[in-house]
Amino acid sequence: AASHVIPYRAQGVAVMSVLAQISTVVIDCGDPVRLAEFYSKVTGWEITDSGEDFASLAGGEQPGLAFVRIEGYRAPGWPDDAKHAHLDLTVSDLEEAAGRILALGASRPAFQPGKDQWVVLTDPEGHPFCLIAGA
């Protein structure tokens, strides 16, 4: 049988084999186009597909980001033990980036556990995401 294992290369040397690579992170929501437009403005990624029930973004060689309509969608709370996943976005200046992203329609919850290391924001539909200080 043919192997469908993708070799993983670090500095040109095959280190291990992987069975799959992440191609897209899909987020449930009520309005896929609205969220795709928000994240396109935040990341600079291009909207590659959109319709009433689905929208996607691409950012070069990184995994894509997509949004799918769920009837009766309810946003996760923050902080809430029922929250299962969130995005971390690296920015060069936490407060400057937070201010600009808030102007695009994000919200800043009162609970901020990151102190000066990260900032928690929520997108226009309530999904939490973190801004992390980096390059």
Side-chain angles (χ1 to χ4, degrees), residues 36-121:
E37 289 170 349
F38 171 78
Y39 282 101
S40 176
K41 292 174 186 170
V42 169
T43 63
W45 292 4
E46 179 182 341
I47 297 175
T48 56
D49 190 14
S50 69
E52 185 177 334
D53 296 321
F54 179 82
S56 61
L57 303 174
E61 295 187 23
Q62 296 126 349
L65 192 55
F67 307 92
V68 63
R69 180 183 308 281
I70 301 294
E71 288 302 320
Y73 171 76
R74 291 185 320 229
W78 173 256
D80 184 348
D81 291 341
K83 180 182 67 66
H84 296 276
H86 69 272
L87 299 173
D88 284 350
L89 306 175
T90 303
V91 297
S92 58
D93 182 301
L94 283 176
E95 290 306 319
E96 190 267 338
R100 291 178 63 190
I101 293 171
L102 288 167
L104 294 173
S107 297
R108 186 175 191 154
F111 180 59
Q112 293 290 324
K115 306 206 186 299
D116 294 332
Q117 297 179 343
W118 72 85
V119 173
V120 178
L121 299 178

